[in-house]
Amino acid sequence: LAQQRLLIKGGKVVNDDCSVVADVYVEDGVVQQVGPNLNPEPPAGLVVLDATNKLVIPGGIDTHTHMQFPFMGSRSKDDFYTGTKAAIAGGTTMIIDFAIPQKGCSLIEAFDTWKSWADPKVCCDYALHVAVTWWSNKVKEEMKSLVQNKGVNSFKMFMAYKDIYMVNDEELYAAFSCCKELGAVAQVHAENGELIAQGAKKMLAMGITGPEGHELCRPEEVEAEATQRAIIIANAVNCPLFVVHVMSKSAARVISNARREGKVVYGEPIAASLGTDGTNYWNKDWAHAAAYVMGPPLRPDPSTPGFLMNLLANDDLSVTGTDNCTFDICQKALGKDDFTKIPNGVNGVEDRMSVIWEKGVYSGKMDENRFVAVTSTNAAKIFNLYPKKGRIAVGSDADIVIWDPKATRTISAKTHHQANNFNIFEGMICHGVPVATVSRGKVVYEGGAFNVTAGEGKYVSRPPFPPYVYKRVRQREQV
């Protein structure tokens, strides 16, 4: 490691709870000092980054990606190399991807498969959530083994994708109970899969085959109903719940109300739901409309992104991911004559930080500290990575981004690093640009140039019972 010593000078260090003008000194991948006018000795071999008039923030943590994911008869374009490379260009220094077994298949084998794909390719740190797509005693044993031996502390259950990944209420109850025993965070993809299946048949019978059918057969009440049901089931077993990709006002309201009632639930809007909307499904250009198809769909109500951003700013919603799962126009064309065959997924891993700064901070909805909380710190706390990740402090991992709040960039498929020929944020001008990205103490991206090789990122183990989540849960058990 040529760059074992790094000094970031003159910037404003922004954490979730305070901002202070200070230098940051890094050695061996870890923050050693934070303070004014640092002069580490010896000067030889010291790399200095000037952050004057810029912010020095913890690297982003994307809680939701699907790299090289085999799905709907295709495989997502971004693999663990292009995906994590795009991430660091956008100011994200850690992703949490999903290992997803088929029904009846081993969770541990799925975990090992995803890890074998990721390890030789990742450019930044990563972890893996594991999906529970069926239920048996074997699944229960494997969940225990993953928590105890593999550093997994989160499991995702699908309430949609009938006959592929979907689990029923009885299986949800069992999986949530198991998560609670193991000290894991239960996650749900909340949509009523049965209603979607019936709705899709109805649309196709009416001759609606285009991308708009995708939204019409899974309207937002289908998302809100499943969100409500998941919260009730989780609450019945006193299990903390994390609702992935919150896409609609009504689902967000359900989460917001549950939090007001004291339930331990966290909502994750994504770059797509905060930065664009579902009016695109009615675009006359089929390829354009299909590019936005994801599950749950973007909502046609154009005031949705602003509404979700307000809730994110006010702590009704907690963290942000991207659900980055890119399919190019040719792959999307698998559903040319039937919207149910369009592979679901959009980009975002590179765009998330800038989109949230633009729509959140630049618009005046949130401050820089809340920005750090929703892009990094809260994720680190929920998934038990804090304070190694999600904070700039002595002893924390040196995953750091120098952020220029005054600079602008225009998002475009022509210039992005995501492996896709379409960008759902095409043409959006964003204030707030990452100037340099530091991963584990190494400058991996600076001024548009990469200095990173495949496999430099590390798999990060996450211990069970994250205190941020489980302190309340354990106390309630006792009471």
Side-chain angles (χ1 to χ4, degrees):
L1 277 174
Q3 297 186 332
Q4 286 194 312
R5 298 170 65 238
L6 172 69
L7 179 64
I8 302 171
K9 278 198 79 69
K12 179 158 69 158
V13 175
V14 182
N15 280 311
D16 67 315
D17 53 354
C18 63
S19 306
V20 57
V21 174
D23 299 346
V24 181
Y25 174 58
V26 173
E27 205 172 303
D28 298 325
V30 176
V31 176
Q32 305 291 346
Q33 288 175 282
V34 180
N37 308 317
L38 300 180
N39 280 311
E41 295 294 328
L46 180 69
V47 176
V48 181
L49 286 178
D50 180 15
T52 310
N53 297 329
K54 297 183 180 65
L55 308 180
V56 180
I57 63 173
I61 300 172
D62 188 335
T63 49
H64 192 147
T65 65
H66 297 282
M67 304 302 175
Q68 58 196 70
F69 178 31
F71 186 50
M72 294 183 72
S74 203
R75 182 182 283 256
S76 61
K77 291 288 283 186
D78 278 309
D79 66 6
F80 280 98
Y81 176 64
T82 61
T84 53
K85 200 171 162 183
I88 57 179
T92 288
T93 54
M94 181 171 181
I95 62 165
I96 314 184
D97 208 86
F98 288 84
I100 305 184
Q102 298 294 324
K103 278 191 187 292
C105 294
S106 158
L107 276 64
I108 290 172
E109 280 174 27
F111 173 89
D112 289 341
T113 299
W114 257 261
K115 195 164 180 300
S116 73
W117 292 342
D119 283 341
K121 290 185 181 176
V122 283
C123 298
C124 67
D125 287 358
Y126 80 102
L128 291 169
H129 308 292
V130 178
V132 173
T133 53
W134 61 296
W135 191 254
S136 71
N137 280 334
K138 182 189 176 207
V139 172
K140 192 174 177 177
E141 286 308 307
E142 289 200 311
M143 285 171 75
K144 187 176 175 183
S145 173
L146 285 164
V147 170
Q148 290 172 354
N149 309 319
K150 306 277 193 179
V152 173
N153 71 5
S154 47
F155 295 94
K156 176 182 177 181
M157 282 57 79
F158 289 88
M159 301 170 79
Y161 299 115
K162 192 185 174 192
D163 301 331
I164 306 169
Y165 298 135
M166 182 171 133
V167 291
N168 63 31
D169 288 1
E170 183 187 355
E171 293 166 320
L172 272 185
Y173 186 93
F176 288 173
S177 303
C178 185
C179 284
K180 159 120 182 321
E181 276 168 44
L182 296 171
V185 176
Q187 300 173 291
V188 285
H189 171 133
E191 284 184 290
N192 186 318
E194 191 54 61
L195 287 180
I196 292 167
Q198 300 299 335
K201 279 185 208 157
K202 192 167 136 191
M203 290 299 140
L204 292 170
M206 289 165 66
I208 297 170
T209 60
E212 71 280 7
H214 176 74
E215 203 283 333
L216 293 170
C217 80
R218 43 209 308 167
E220 60 177 84
E221 53 265 33
V222 167
E223 185 190 354
E225 184 277 329
T227 305
Q228 180 71 39
R229 184 158 40 103
I231 290 170
I232 290 167
I233 296 169
N235 193 54
V237 296
N238 191 20
C239 171
L241 185 68
F242 184 100
V243 182
V244 305
H245 50 42
V246 178
M247 302 301 290
S248 63
K249 286 182 174 181
S250 43
R253 279 195 195 101
V254 168
I255 293 165
S256 174
N257 292 339
R259 285 171 70 84
R260 302 253 155 94
E261 290 160 7
K263 296 188 172 75
V264 184
V265 57
Y266 306 96
E268 169 203 75
I270 59 172
S273 63
L274 296 164
T276 183
D277 64 52
T279 54
N280 291 286
Y281 296 133
W282 281 264
N283 193 291
K284 292 280 180 269
D285 176 356
W286 187 92
H288 177 101
Y292 288 82
V293 168
M294 64 166 295
L298 293 154
R299 302 303 174 187
D301 175 353
S303 63
T304 301
F307 181 90
L308 294 177
M309 187 61 81
N310 286 334
L311 265 55
L312 186 63
N314 298 324
D315 206 31
D316 289 306
L317 298 172
S318 306
V319 300
T320 55
T322 58
D323 198 4
N324 191 92
C325 187
T326 48
F327 296 101
D328 68 19
I329 289 163
C330 292
Q331 290 170 302
K332 292 273 187 182
L334 289 167
K336 182 168 61 61
D337 305 312
D338 176 352
F339 65 82
T340 64
K341 296 187 169 67
I342 301 170
N344 288 198
V346 295
N347 62 280
V349 73
E350 182 175 354
D351 315 301
R352 177 180 70 114
M353 302 281 281
S354 287
V355 166
I356 293 164
W357 187 274
E358 176 66 23
K359 302 290 187 185
V361 185
Y362 185 73
S363 72
K365 288 177 187 275
M366 64 171 71
D367 62 17
E368 61 198 20
N369 306 98
R370 181 65 190 167
F371 173 79
V372 165
V374 301
T375 56
S376 182
T377 310
N378 290 354
K381 288 177 176 175
I382 291 168
F383 295 112
N384 219 359
L385 299 158
Y386 186 84
K388 286 297 280 182
K389 307 283 188 198
R391 189 162 189 86
I392 297 177
V394 174
S396 296
D397 286 355
D399 292 347
I400 299 170
V401 175
I402 298 177
W403 189 266
D404 189 341
K406 300 223 164 37
T408 60
R409 72 185 183 98
T410 303
I411 297 177
S412 174
K414 291 184 184 67
T415 52
H416 72 197
H417 300 91
Q418 293 152 133
N420 206 11
N421 56 5
F422 191 94
N423 191 310
I424 59 166
F425 307 109
E426 186 71 38
M428 184 190 291
I429 297 169
C430 290
H431 296 77
V433 176
V435 182
T437 305
V438 177
S439 172
R440 288 188 172 260
K442 178 183 167 184
V443 183
V444 288
Y445 177 81
E446 187 184 6
F450 291 96
N451 175 30
V452 68
T453 49
E456 270 186 347
K458 299 267 186 297
Y459 173 75
V460 181
S461 280
R462 297 171 296 139
F465 295 106
Y468 182 72
V469 176
Y470 265 93
K471 271 182 191 164
R472 289 187 286 168
V473 172
R474 282 176 147 170
Q475 184 63 24
R476 289 173 191 192
E477 261 326 72
Q478 288 171 0
V479 174

